[in-house]
PDB file of all heavy atoms in Angstrom:
ATOM      1  N   ALA Y   1     -27.795  19.607  81.818  1.00  0.00           N
ATOM      2  CA  ALA Y   1     -27.355  18.296  81.226  1.00  0.00           C
ATOM      3  C   ALA Y   1     -28.458  17.696  80.407  1.00  0.00           C
ATOM      4  O   ALA Y   1     -28.307  17.207  79.299  1.00  0.00           O
ATOM      5  CB  ALA Y   1     -26.898  17.353  82.332  1.00  0.00           C
ATOM      6  N   ALA Y   2     -29.703  17.730  80.961  1.00  0.00           N
ATOM      7  CA  ALA Y   2     -30.831  17.146  80.271  1.00  0.00           C
ATOM      8  C   ALA Y   2     -31.145  17.973  79.000  1.00  0.00           C
ATOM      9  O   ALA Y   2     -31.473  17.402  77.944  1.00  0.00           O
ATOM     10  CB  ALA Y   2     -32.087  17.128  81.199  1.00  0.00           C
ATOM     11  N   ALA Y   3     -31.016  19.282  79.099  1.00  0.00           N
ATOM     12  CA  ALA Y   3     -31.242  20.172  77.935  1.00  0.00           C
ATOM     13  C   ALA Y   3     -30.264  19.866  76.835  1.00  0.00           C
ATOM     14  O   ALA Y   3     -30.620  19.781  75.630  1.00  0.00           O
ATOM     15  CB  ALA Y   3     -31.211  21.619  78.369  1.00  0.00           C
ATOM     16  N   VAL Y   4     -28.989  19.709  77.183  1.00  0.00           N
ATOM     17  CA  VAL Y   4     -27.974  19.456  76.193  1.00  0.00           C
ATOM     18  C   VAL Y   4     -28.191  18.042  75.576  1.00  0.00           C
ATOM     19  O   VAL Y   4     -27.974  17.853  74.355  1.00  0.00           O
ATOM     20  CB  VAL Y   4     -26.531  19.566  76.759  1.00  0.00           C
ATOM     21  CG1 VAL Y   4     -25.498  19.301  75.693  1.00  0.00           C
ATOM     22  CG2 VAL Y   4     -26.313  20.936  77.331  1.00  0.00           C
ATOM     23  N   TRP Y   5     -28.621  17.097  76.396  1.00  0.00           N
ATOM     24  CA  TRP Y   5     -28.945  15.765  75.885  1.00  0.00           C
ATOM     25  C   TRP Y   5     -29.965  15.875  74.765  1.00  0.00           C
ATOM     26  O   TRP Y   5     -29.798  15.281  73.704  1.00  0.00           O
ATOM     27  CB  TRP Y   5     -29.463  14.849  77.006  1.00  0.00           C
ATOM     28  CG  TRP Y   5     -29.745  13.472  76.502  1.00  0.00           C
ATOM     29  CD1 TRP Y   5     -30.908  13.005  75.929  1.00  0.00           C
ATOM     30  CD2 TRP Y   5     -28.846  12.315  76.526  1.00  0.00           C
ATOM     31  NE1 TRP Y   5     -30.788  11.670  75.612  1.00  0.00           N
ATOM     32  CE2 TRP Y   5     -29.555  11.270  75.950  1.00  0.00           C
ATOM     33  CE3 TRP Y   5     -27.537  12.179  76.957  1.00  0.00           C
ATOM     34  CZ2 TRP Y   5     -28.969   9.994  75.797  1.00  0.00           C
ATOM     35  CZ3 TRP Y   5     -26.958  10.893  76.794  1.00  0.00           C
ATOM     36  CH2 TRP Y   5     -27.687   9.848  76.230  1.00  0.00           C
ATOM     37  N   ARG Y   6     -31.030  16.646  75.000  1.00  0.00           N
ATOM     38  CA  ARG Y   6     -32.063  16.809  74.000  1.00  0.00           C
ATOM     39  C   ARG Y   6     -31.551  17.563  72.746  1.00  0.00           C
ATOM     40  O   ARG Y   6     -31.948  17.252  71.611  1.00  0.00           O
ATOM     41  CB  ARG Y   6     -33.266  17.506  74.596  1.00  0.00           C
ATOM     42  CG  ARG Y   6     -34.058  16.635  75.576  1.00  0.00           C
ATOM     43  CD  ARG Y   6     -35.382  17.273  75.947  1.00  0.00           C
ATOM     44  NE  ARG Y   6     -35.186  18.427  76.771  1.00  0.00           N
ATOM     45  CZ  ARG Y   6     -35.222  18.398  78.140  1.00  0.00           C
ATOM     46  NH1 ARG Y   6     -35.434  17.266  78.750  1.00  0.00           N
ATOM     47  NH2 ARG Y   6     -35.018  19.504  78.814  1.00  0.00           N
ATOM     48  N   GLU Y   7     -30.642  18.530  72.985  1.00  0.00           N
ATOM     49  CA  GLU Y   7     -30.003  19.212  71.848  1.00  0.00           C
ATOM     50  C   GLU Y   7     -29.247  18.247  70.951  1.00  0.00           C
ATOM     51  O   GLU Y   7     -29.268  18.305  69.729  1.00  0.00           O
ATOM     52  CB  GLU Y   7     -29.045  20.314  72.336  1.00  0.00           C
ATOM     53  CG  GLU Y   7     -29.702  21.542  72.947  1.00  0.00           C
ATOM     54  CD  GLU Y   7     -28.619  22.457  73.526  1.00  0.00           C
ATOM     55  OE1 GLU Y   7     -27.485  22.419  73.062  1.00  0.00           O
ATOM     56  OE2 GLU Y   7     -28.968  23.219  74.495  1.00  0.00           O
ATOM     57  N   GLU Y   8     -28.553  17.322  71.615  1.00  0.00           N
ATOM     58  CA  GLU Y   8     -27.684  16.399  70.870  1.00  0.00           C
ATOM     59  C   GLU Y   8     -28.442  15.178  70.319  1.00  0.00           C
ATOM     60  O   GLU Y   8     -28.149  14.722  69.207  1.00  0.00           O
ATOM     61  CB  GLU Y   8     -26.576  15.894  71.820  1.00  0.00           C
ATOM     62  CG  GLU Y   8     -25.630  16.998  72.305  1.00  0.00           C
ATOM     63  CD  GLU Y   8     -24.587  17.372  71.303  1.00  0.00           C
ATOM     64  OE1 GLU Y   8     -24.069  16.461  70.652  1.00  0.00           O
ATOM     65  OE2 GLU Y   8     -24.279  18.593  71.217  1.00  0.00           O
ATOM     66  N   PHE Y   9     -29.427  14.606  71.118  1.00  0.00           N
ATOM     67  CA  PHE Y   9     -29.997  13.346  70.754  1.00  0.00           C
ATOM     68  C   PHE Y   9     -31.532  13.328  70.608  1.00  0.00           C
ATOM     69  O   PHE Y   9     -32.120  12.295  70.430  1.00  0.00           O
ATOM     70  CB  PHE Y   9     -29.604  12.305  71.827  1.00  0.00           C
ATOM     71  CG  PHE Y   9     -28.135  12.172  72.033  1.00  0.00           C
ATOM     72  CD1 PHE Y   9     -27.601  12.419  73.336  1.00  0.00           C
ATOM     73  CD2 PHE Y   9     -27.279  11.876  71.022  1.00  0.00           C
ATOM     74  CE1 PHE Y   9     -26.220  12.278  73.566  1.00  0.00           C
ATOM     75  CE2 PHE Y   9     -25.891  11.770  71.242  1.00  0.00           C
ATOM     76  CZ  PHE Y   9     -25.376  12.004  72.518  1.00  0.00           C
ATOM     77  N   GLY Y  10     -32.122  14.556  70.635  1.00  0.00           N
ATOM     78  CA  GLY Y  10     -33.574  14.612  70.488  1.00  0.00           C
ATOM     79  C   GLY Y  10     -34.313  13.877  71.584  1.00  0.00           C
ATOM     80  O   GLY Y  10     -34.035  14.040  72.767  1.00  0.00           O
ATOM     81  N   ASP Y  11     -35.272  13.003  71.151  1.00  0.00           N
ATOM     82  CA  ASP Y  11     -36.105  12.300  72.154  1.00  0.00           C
ATOM     83  C   ASP Y  11     -35.549  10.939  72.550  1.00  0.00           C
ATOM     84  O   ASP Y  11     -36.156  10.211  73.323  1.00  0.00           O
ATOM     85  CB  ASP Y  11     -37.497  12.052  71.490  1.00  0.00           C
ATOM     86  CG  ASP Y  11     -38.255  13.375  71.291  1.00  0.00           C
ATOM     87  OD1 ASP Y  11     -38.010  14.332  72.051  1.00  0.00           O
ATOM     88  OD2 ASP Y  11     -39.052  13.439  70.330  1.00  0.00           O
ATOM     89  N   GLU Y  12     -34.322  10.622  72.082  1.00  0.00           N
ATOM     90  CA  GLU Y  12     -33.708   9.383  72.435  1.00  0.00           C
ATOM     91  C   GLU Y  12     -33.428   9.313  73.965  1.00  0.00           C
ATOM     92  O   GLU Y  12     -32.927  10.284  74.524  1.00  0.00           O
ATOM     93  CB  GLU Y  12     -32.396   9.189  71.687  1.00  0.00           C
ATOM     94  CG  GLU Y  12     -31.721   7.842  71.913  1.00  0.00           C
ATOM     95  CD  GLU Y  12     -30.464   7.664  71.082  1.00  0.00           C
ATOM     96  OE1 GLU Y  12     -30.241   8.465  70.138  1.00  0.00           O
ATOM     97  OE2 GLU Y  12     -29.689   6.754  71.377  1.00  0.00           O
ATOM     98  N   LYS Y  13     -33.817   8.217  74.574  1.00  0.00           N
ATOM     99  CA  LYS Y  13     -33.652   8.080  76.021  1.00  0.00           C
ATOM    100  C   LYS Y  13     -32.261   7.479  76.381  1.00  0.00           C
ATOM    101  O   LYS Y  13     -31.714   6.708  75.599  1.00  0.00           O
ATOM    102  CB  LYS Y  13     -34.754   7.180  76.613  1.00  0.00           C
ATOM    103  CG  LYS Y  13     -36.148   7.767  76.533  1.00  0.00           C
ATOM    104  CD  LYS Y  13     -36.269   9.041  77.362  1.00  0.00           C
ATOM    105  CE  LYS Y  13     -37.705   9.591  77.345  1.00  0.00           C
ATOM    106  NZ  LYS Y  13     -37.831  10.826  78.153  1.00  0.00           N
ATOM    107  N   ALA Y  14     -31.823   7.863  77.554  1.00  0.00           N
ATOM    108  CA  ALA Y  14     -30.489   7.355  78.016  1.00  0.00           C
ATOM    109  C   ALA Y  14     -30.698   6.274  79.080  1.00  0.00           C
ATOM    110  O   ALA Y  14     -31.691   6.219  79.790  1.00  0.00           O
ATOM    111  CB  ALA Y  14     -29.755   8.510  78.682  1.00  0.00           C
ATOM    112  N   ALA Y  15     -29.696   5.390  79.103  1.00  0.00           N
ATOM    113  CA  ALA Y  15     -29.520   4.577  80.345  1.00  0.00           C
ATOM    114  C   ALA Y  15     -28.721   5.461  81.266  1.00  0.00           C
ATOM    115  O   ALA Y  15     -27.570   5.744  81.026  1.00  0.00           O
ATOM    116  CB  ALA Y  15     -28.790   3.278  79.995  1.00  0.00           C
ATOM    117  N   LEU Y  16     -29.360   5.922  82.314  1.00  0.00           N
ATOM    118  CA  LEU Y  16     -28.760   6.881  83.209  1.00  0.00           C
ATOM    119  C   LEU Y  16     -28.016   6.187  84.358  1.00  0.00           C
ATOM    120  O   LEU Y  16     -28.652   5.455  85.153  1.00  0.00           O
ATOM    121  CB  LEU Y  16     -29.836   7.783  83.852  1.00  0.00           C
ATOM    122  CG  LEU Y  16     -29.408   8.747  84.941  1.00  0.00           C
ATOM    123  CD1 LEU Y  16     -28.396   9.757  84.425  1.00  0.00           C
ATOM    124  CD2 LEU Y  16     -30.638   9.452  85.576  1.00  0.00           C
ATOM    125  N   VAL Y  17     -26.699   6.331  84.399  1.00  0.00           N
ATOM    126  CA  VAL Y  17     -25.921   5.805  85.535  1.00  0.00           C
ATOM    127  C   VAL Y  17     -25.853   6.951  86.500  1.00  0.00           C
ATOM    128  O   VAL Y  17     -25.202   8.001  86.256  1.00  0.00           O
ATOM    129  CB  VAL Y  17     -24.498   5.406  85.055  1.00  0.00           C
ATOM    130  CG1 VAL Y  17     -23.638   4.986  86.268  1.00  0.00           C
ATOM    131  CG2 VAL Y  17     -24.605   4.243  84.063  1.00  0.00           C
ATOM    132  N   PHE Y  18     -26.544   6.802  87.642  1.00  0.00           N
ATOM    133  CA  PHE Y  18     -26.791   7.915  88.561  1.00  0.00           C
ATOM    134  C   PHE Y  18     -26.241   7.606  89.939  1.00  0.00           C
ATOM    135  O   PHE Y  18     -26.500   6.600  90.517  1.00  0.00           O
ATOM    136  CB  PHE Y  18     -28.305   8.175  88.595  1.00  0.00           C
ATOM    137  CG  PHE Y  18     -28.684   9.328  89.525  1.00  0.00           C
ATOM    138  CD1 PHE Y  18     -28.148  10.600  89.348  1.00  0.00           C
ATOM    139  CD2 PHE Y  18     -29.628   9.116  90.502  1.00  0.00           C
ATOM    140  CE1 PHE Y  18     -28.535  11.676  90.158  1.00  0.00           C
ATOM    141  CE2 PHE Y  18     -30.039  10.141  91.337  1.00  0.00           C
ATOM    142  CZ  PHE Y  18     -29.465  11.414  91.157  1.00  0.00           C
ATOM    143  N   GLY Y  19     -25.460   8.585  90.460  1.00  0.00           N
ATOM    144  CA  GLY Y  19     -24.980   8.516  91.833  1.00  0.00           C
ATOM    145  C   GLY Y  19     -24.788   9.936  92.322  1.00  0.00           C
ATOM    146  O   GLY Y  19     -24.634  10.856  91.545  1.00  0.00           O
ATOM    147  N   ILE Y  20     -24.913  10.111  93.644  1.00  0.00           N
ATOM    148  CA  ILE Y  20     -24.898  11.491  94.174  1.00  0.00           C
ATOM    149  C   ILE Y  20     -24.363  11.446  95.619  1.00  0.00           C
ATOM    150  O   ILE Y  20     -24.385  10.395  96.271  1.00  0.00           O
ATOM    151  CB  ILE Y  20     -26.294  12.096  94.120  1.00  0.00           C
ATOM    152  CG1 ILE Y  20     -26.244  13.620  94.238  1.00  0.00           C
ATOM    153  CG2 ILE Y  20     -27.238  11.462  95.156  1.00  0.00           C
ATOM    154  CD1 ILE Y  20     -27.538  14.304  93.789  1.00  0.00           C
ATOM    155  N   LEU Y  21     -23.897  12.571  96.121  1.00  0.00           N
ATOM    156  CA  LEU Y  21     -23.449  12.681  97.497  1.00  0.00           C
ATOM    157  C   LEU Y  21     -24.657  12.999  98.372  1.00  0.00           C
ATOM    158  O   LEU Y  21     -25.620  13.657  97.940  1.00  0.00           O
ATOM    159  CB  LEU Y  21     -22.394  13.772  97.661  1.00  0.00           C
ATOM    160  CG  LEU Y  21     -21.122  13.590  96.791  1.00  0.00           C
ATOM    161  CD1 LEU Y  21     -20.075  14.660  97.157  1.00  0.00           C
ATOM    162  CD2 LEU Y  21     -20.538  12.199  96.964  1.00  0.00           C
ATOM    163  N   ARG Y  22     -24.608  12.572  99.634  1.00  0.00           N
ATOM    164  CA  ARG Y  22     -25.786  12.663 100.485  1.00  0.00           C
ATOM    165  C   ARG Y  22     -26.046  14.110 100.922  1.00  0.00           C
ATOM    166  O   ARG Y  22     -27.165  14.392 101.469  1.00  0.00           O
ATOM    167  CB  ARG Y  22     -25.677  11.760 101.680  1.00  0.00           C
ATOM    168  CG  ARG Y  22     -24.531  11.967 102.637  1.00  0.00           C
ATOM    169  CD  ARG Y  22     -24.619  11.040 103.856  1.00  0.00           C
ATOM    170  NE  ARG Y  22     -24.686   9.625 103.491  1.00  0.00           N
ATOM    171  CZ  ARG Y  22     -25.762   8.839 103.520  1.00  0.00           C
ATOM    172  NH1 ARG Y  22     -26.925   9.396 103.885  1.00  0.00           N
ATOM    173  NH2 ARG Y  22     -25.710   7.583 103.209  1.00  0.00           N
ATOM    174  N   ASP Y  23     -25.115  15.036 100.747  1.00  0.00           N
ATOM    175  CA  ASP Y  23     -25.439  16.419 101.132  1.00  0.00           C
ATOM    176  C   ASP Y  23     -26.013  17.195  99.988  1.00  0.00           C
ATOM    177  O   ASP Y  23     -26.192  18.413 100.083  1.00  0.00           O
ATOM    178  CB  ASP Y  23     -24.173  17.119 101.688  1.00  0.00           C
ATOM    179  CG  ASP Y  23     -23.035  17.128 100.738  1.00  0.00           C
ATOM    180  OD1 ASP Y  23     -23.142  16.535  99.602  1.00  0.00           O
ATOM    181  OD2 ASP Y  23     -21.973  17.744 101.033  1.00  0.00           O
ATOM    182  N   LYS Y  24     -26.351  16.538  98.896  1.00  0.00           N
ATOM    183  CA  LYS Y  24     -27.020  17.173  97.735  1.00  0.00           C
ATOM    184  C   LYS Y  24     -28.504  16.918  97.779  1.00  0.00           C
ATOM    185  O   LYS Y  24     -29.018  16.004  98.447  1.00  0.00           O
ATOM    186  CB  LYS Y  24     -26.416  16.686  96.424  1.00  0.00           C
ATOM    187  CG  LYS Y  24     -24.906  16.918  96.269  1.00  0.00           C
ATOM    188  CD  LYS Y  24     -24.569  18.370  96.223  1.00  0.00           C
ATOM    189  CE  LYS Y  24     -23.094  18.615  96.042  1.00  0.00           C
ATOM    190  NZ  LYS Y  24     -22.750  20.057  95.989  1.00  0.00           N
ATOM    191  N   ASP Y  25     -29.266  17.685  96.984  1.00  0.00           N
ATOM    192  CA  ASP Y  25     -30.713  17.474  96.884  1.00  0.00           C
ATOM    193  C   ASP Y  25     -30.962  16.427  95.801  1.00  0.00           C
ATOM    194  O   ASP Y  25     -31.221  16.706  94.635  1.00  0.00           O
ATOM    195  CB  ASP Y  25     -31.384  18.828  96.464  1.00  0.00           C
ATOM    196  CG  ASP Y  25     -32.880  18.757  96.578  1.00  0.00           C
ATOM    197  OD1 ASP Y  25     -33.443  17.656  96.567  1.00  0.00           O
ATOM    198  OD2 ASP Y  25     -33.530  19.841  96.578  1.00  0.00           O
ATOM    199  N   ALA Y  26     -30.870  15.148  96.259  1.00  0.00           N
ATOM    200  CA  ALA Y  26     -30.873  14.038  95.325  1.00  0.00           C
ATOM    201  C   ALA Y  26     -32.181  13.987  94.531  1.00  0.00           C
ATOM    202  O   ALA Y  26     -32.171  13.722  93.289  1.00  0.00           O
ATOM    203  CB  ALA Y  26     -30.694  12.718  96.087  1.00  0.00           C
ATOM    204  N   ALA Y  27     -33.300  14.249  95.173  1.00  0.00           N
ATOM    205  CA  ALA Y  27     -34.601  14.154  94.490  1.00  0.00           C
ATOM    206  C   ALA Y  27     -34.711  15.227  93.404  1.00  0.00           C
ATOM    207  O   ALA Y  27     -35.172  14.957  92.252  1.00  0.00           O
ATOM    208  CB  ALA Y  27     -35.727  14.303  95.473  1.00  0.00           C
ATOM    209  N   ALA Y  28     -34.270  16.459  93.707  1.00  0.00           N
ATOM    210  CA  ALA Y  28     -34.331  17.549  92.704  1.00  0.00           C
ATOM    211  C   ALA Y  28     -33.432  17.332  91.544  1.00  0.00           C
ATOM    212  O   ALA Y  28     -33.755  17.558  90.404  1.00  0.00           O
ATOM    213  CB  ALA Y  28     -34.029  18.868  93.412  1.00  0.00           C
TER     214      ALA Y  28
END
């Protein structure tokens, strides 16, 4: 996802709306 963001928008930064399930590796 980050790689495609850079393909599409270059160095432009996103406001990241981030949520995850607790059985995932949230930090990674």
Side-chain angles (χ1 to χ4, degrees):
V4 181
W5 182 274
R6 287 190 292 266
E7 288 173 27
E8 298 280 321
F9 306 122
D11 294 331
E12 185 176 346
K13 294 295 186 181
L16 173 64
V17 176
F18 180 55
I20 199 165
L21 302 186
R22 61 175 57 255
D23 58 356
K24 301 295 181 181
D25 189 342

